[in-house]
């Protein structure tokens, strides 16, 4: 047994599922499709569930399994499924807990492709999403009926940087026997212990922070073990055989296996390393965010800064309560016009123009003309996407260099 330790110590010391024959200190990449058995009887026992072993890497493999074990330990959760991307985590989860004719309630400020998944893809299979700004309990409760299965939200919306009232959402979910699902991509597990705020399932794009800095695509589904699966008719049939692991079993033995969204072993290797260095990267990005936030807030040409780590931000109190004061390391800020934003972006020499988040490099984008380009003006207005706004994902560069870059680009 390891003593109780801090996040990084824990990350570095999660034991392998099986002892490595060579005592490798780094989990090897098992880049194999299939695994062999000693006898026909052993294969039979495996298929009956009596002899647990890796069989075929679309279902499970040692390197991916180790990534899952590590994330499970770090999130102090019941179980984790690693998948090929954040979108795979979201789609697998929703497919596992719903069926045609049912509905979920979701925040209306969502990652663009999540919105498209709910509005287009899943709608075409008969799942309805009822959107809400998730601010008013009565309005949310008015959307709930006997076919509602979950409330879905993002811990910090992007690029608006709004933090919902997670305790209120958790209370409503419990009262109506609904799952509470959080996309916690922006707030990684070293700052957000989702299970202790009533979140039942976390979906994470590990492509972002956990990959170690834009190294690879990945996703994770984290089950906090705090939901009674008898309350969900689509999962309850798995309880008899799998008990508390009913959801994980349904995903692994049905949805994920049958739709083929597995994480590749080489990717898992990057993601394992990413967890090892997650805490120190977040800390550096956060320090940079605070310095940039203060600099931008004091600059005459900057009209508005949103970062809930800053004391005067509307989300500051919730950031302290939920995320230990570290509400991710994405910020947005406004200049006087769209033209001013473009001029500024084009003058940057260190900060890169790109659409990703939580790379080691600082990345900037103008959401109105890119991520939200396919939306109508009305939809952008509802989502509070201003054409004067830019989103900055803050990296690990030296802060003085980032400030100088911004300063010269604002001139
Ligand atoms: C990037 C992102 C996703 C999708 O993740 P992919 O790994 O790109 O599929 C989902 N939610 C949020 C909040 C994201 O930032």
């Amino acid at each position: 047994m390891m003593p109780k330790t801090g996040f990084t110590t824990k990350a570095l010391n999660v034991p392998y599922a099986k002892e490595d024959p060579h005592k490798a200190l780094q989990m090897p990449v098992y880049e194999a499709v299939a695994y062999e058995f000693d006898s026909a009887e052993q294969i039979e026992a495996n298929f009956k569930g009596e002899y647990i072993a890796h069989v075929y890497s679309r279902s499970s493999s040692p390197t991916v399994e180790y990534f899952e074990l590590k994330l499970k330990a770090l999130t102090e959760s019941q179980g984790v499924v690693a998948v090929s991307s954040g979108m795979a985590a979201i789609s697998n989860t929703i497919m596992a807990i719903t069926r045609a004719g049912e509905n979920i309630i979701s925040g209306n400020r969502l990652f663009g492709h999540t919105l498209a998944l709910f509005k287009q893809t899943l709608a075409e299979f008969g799942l309805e999403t009822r959107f809400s700004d998730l601010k008013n309990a009565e309005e949310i409760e008015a959307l709930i009926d006997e076919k509602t299965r979950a409330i879905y939200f993002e811990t910090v919306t992007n690029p608006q940087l709004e933090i919902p009232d997670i305790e209120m959402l958790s209370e409503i979910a419990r009262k109506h026997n609904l799952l509470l699902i959080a996309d916690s991509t922006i707030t990684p597990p070293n700052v957000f212990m989702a299970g202790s705020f009533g979140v039942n399932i976390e979906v994470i794009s590990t492509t972002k922070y956990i990959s170690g800095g834009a190294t690879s695509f990945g996703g994770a589904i984290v089950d906090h073990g705090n939901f009674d699966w008898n309350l969900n008719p689509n999962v309850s049939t798995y309880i008899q055989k799998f008990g508390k692991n009913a959801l994980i079993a349904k995903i692994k033995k049905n949805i994920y296996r049958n739709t083929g969204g597995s994480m590749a072993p080489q990717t898992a290797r990057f993601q394992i390393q990413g967890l090892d260095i997650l805490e120190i990267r977040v800390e550096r990005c956060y320090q940079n965010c605070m310095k940039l936030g203060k600099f931008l807030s004091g600059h005459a040409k900057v009209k508005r800064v949103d970062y809930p780590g800053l004391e005067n931000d509307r989300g500051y109190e919730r950031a302290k309560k939920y995320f230990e004061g570290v509400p991710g390391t994405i910020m947005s800020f406004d200049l006087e016009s769209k033209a001013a934003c473009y001029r500024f972006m084009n003058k940057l020499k260190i900060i890169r123009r790109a659409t990703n988040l939580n790379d080691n490099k600082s990345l900037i984008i103008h959401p109105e003309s890119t991520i939200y380009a396919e939306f109508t003006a009305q939809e952008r207005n509802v989502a509070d996407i201003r054409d004067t706004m830019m989103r900055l994902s803050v990296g690990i560069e030296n802060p003085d260099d980032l400030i100088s870059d911004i300063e010269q680009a604002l001139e």
Side-chain angles (χ1 to χ4, degrees):
M1 266 298 272
M2 276 285 294
K4 196 163 167 52
T5 61
F7 187 91
T8 299
T9 312
K10 194 173 187 178
L12 294 168
N13 290 287
V14 175
Y16 299 155
K18 267 188 186 172
E19 196 179 331
D20 183 75
H22 305 286
K23 301 240 175 215
L25 268 173
Q26 195 66 261
M27 181 66 186
V29 180
Y30 284 89
E31 198 67 82
V33 169
Y35 295 82
E36 190 179 16
F37 290 85
D38 293 335
S39 66
E41 288 79 5
Q42 201 182 45
I43 306 189
E44 185 189 350
N46 175 271
F47 276 68
K48 277 188 182 153
E50 291 159 7
Y51 173 76
I52 307 298
H54 298 291
V55 179
Y56 190 73
S57 292
R58 173 158 39 72
S59 293
S60 75
S61 65
T63 316
V64 175
E65 177 186 37
Y66 184 55
F67 172 61
E68 292 173 338
L69 282 176
K70 212 163 185 156
L71 191 54
K72 177 175 178 241
L74 292 170
T75 52
E76 297 178 10
S77 61
Q78 174 74 22
V80 170
V81 187
V83 290
S84 55
S85 68
M87 290 319 302
I90 298 165
S91 55
N92 273 266
T93 301
I94 303 298
M95 283 192 280
I97 61 143
T98 59
R99 65 177 58 216
E102 296 181 345
N103 65 76
I104 60 169
I105 292 166
S106 170
N108 56 9
R109 290 180 182 179
L110 290 177
F111 177 72
H113 295 167
T114 305
L115 188 64
L117 172 74
F118 291 171
K119 271 196 164 171
Q120 299 162 17
T121 320
L122 293 177
E124 286 165 12
F125 283 88
L127 177 77
E128 184 197 349
T129 303
R130 300 177 173 176
F131 293 99
S132 159
D133 65 11
L134 300 183
K135 286 185 177 138
N136 181 301
E138 280 167 27
E139 279 176 34
I140 299 170
E141 289 191 291
L143 298 174
I144 298 171
D145 62 23
E146 75 285 0
K147 297 280 188 196
T148 307
R149 297 288 169 251
I151 300 175
Y152 183 98
F153 72 101
E154 297 183 2
T155 53
V156 182
T157 69
N158 127 50
Q160 304 89 351
L161 283 311
E162 288 178 9
I163 303 171
D165 184 342
I166 301 177
E167 286 145 314
M168 174 189 76
L169 296 180
S170 158
E171 210 170 288
I172 298 171
R174 253 184 295 131
K175 182 170 156 198
H176 297 273
N177 297 330
L178 306 178
L179 267 170
L180 185 61
I181 305 174
D183 178 336
S184 58
T185 299
I186 304 264
T187 50
N190 61 308
V191 300
F192 181 47
M193 289 306 273
S196 39
F197 295 100
V199 171
N200 305 119
I201 306 294
E202 271 180 281
V203 288
I204 307 174
S205 168
T206 67
T207 311
K208 309 293 164 54
Y209 247 132
I210 290 176
S211 76
T215 63
S216 52
F217 262 93
I221 302 160
V222 179
D223 178 352
H224 283 282
N226 51 0
F227 188 76
D228 176 1
W229 292 114
N230 287 299
L231 301 172
N232 183 303
N234 303 305
V235 182
S236 57
T237 49
Y238 286 74
I239 294 173
Q240 198 185 3
K241 202 160 169 203
F242 300 101
K244 273 186 89 75
N245 291 314
L247 176 75
I248 296 287
K250 176 165 183 187
I251 291 172
K252 284 207 164 181
K253 291 174 185 302
N254 176 344
I255 310 295
Y256 154 86
R257 190 197 66 189
N258 298 351
T259 58
S262 43
M263 177 179 276
Q266 183 64 49
T267 293
R269 190 255 177 280
F270 282 123
Q271 306 264 336
I272 288 163
Q273 182 130 27
L275 286 176
D276 290 347
I277 58 173
L278 179 66
E279 186 186 38
I280 55 175
R281 289 179 54 242
V282 173
E283 179 62 26
R284 171 72 167 230
C285 294
Y286 167 71
Q287 295 299 345
N288 282 355
C289 263
M290 292 302 287
K291 285 179 184 156
L292 292 185
K294 283 174 190 156
F295 173 79
L296 288 167
S297 302
H299 198 289
K301 288 191 179 159
V302 177
K303 302 300 169 201
R304 170 175 175 169
V305 178
D306 287 282
Y307 179 59
L310 296 169
E311 220 163 296
N312 58 354
D313 192 276
R314 61 193 160 163
Y316 180 71
E317 288 305 322
R318 286 183 188 163
K320 270 204 313 198
K321 189 161 41 163
Y322 303 142
F323 315 125
E324 299 173 21
V326 186
T329 55
I330 315 285
M331 59 173 62
S332 6
F333 60 99
D334 290 54
L335 299 182
E336 62 177 5
S337 65
K338 182 169 176 173
C341 292
Y342 276 36
R343 233 177 1 253
F344 171 80
M345 287 177 64
N346 292 339
K347 282 171 84 176
L348 290 168
K349 296 189 171 87
I350 292 171
I351 297 170
R352 316 293 185 100
R353 292 165 289 266
T355 178
N356 193 17
L357 301 177
N358 305 319
D359 195 328
N360 291 324
K361 303 172 185 79
S362 293
L363 309 177
I364 195 160
I365 196 159
H366 181 260
E368 187 264 348
S369 59
T370 55
I371 303 164
Y372 287 86
E374 63 183 70
F375 291 66
T376 63
Q378 157 77 11
E379 284 171 320
R380 282 197 292 263
N381 200 29
V382 168
D384 198 18
I385 305 300
R386 306 172 296 276
D387 68 356
T388 52
M389 143 202 269
M390 289 169 287
R391 180 187 81 187
L392 179 64
S393 170
V394 177
I396 63 171
E397 299 94 339
N398 299 75
D400 295 343
D401 297 329
L402 292 175
I403 288 175
S404 310
D405 197 29
I406 290 174
E407 202 164 25
Q408 64 82 25
L410 280 171
E411 264 164 28

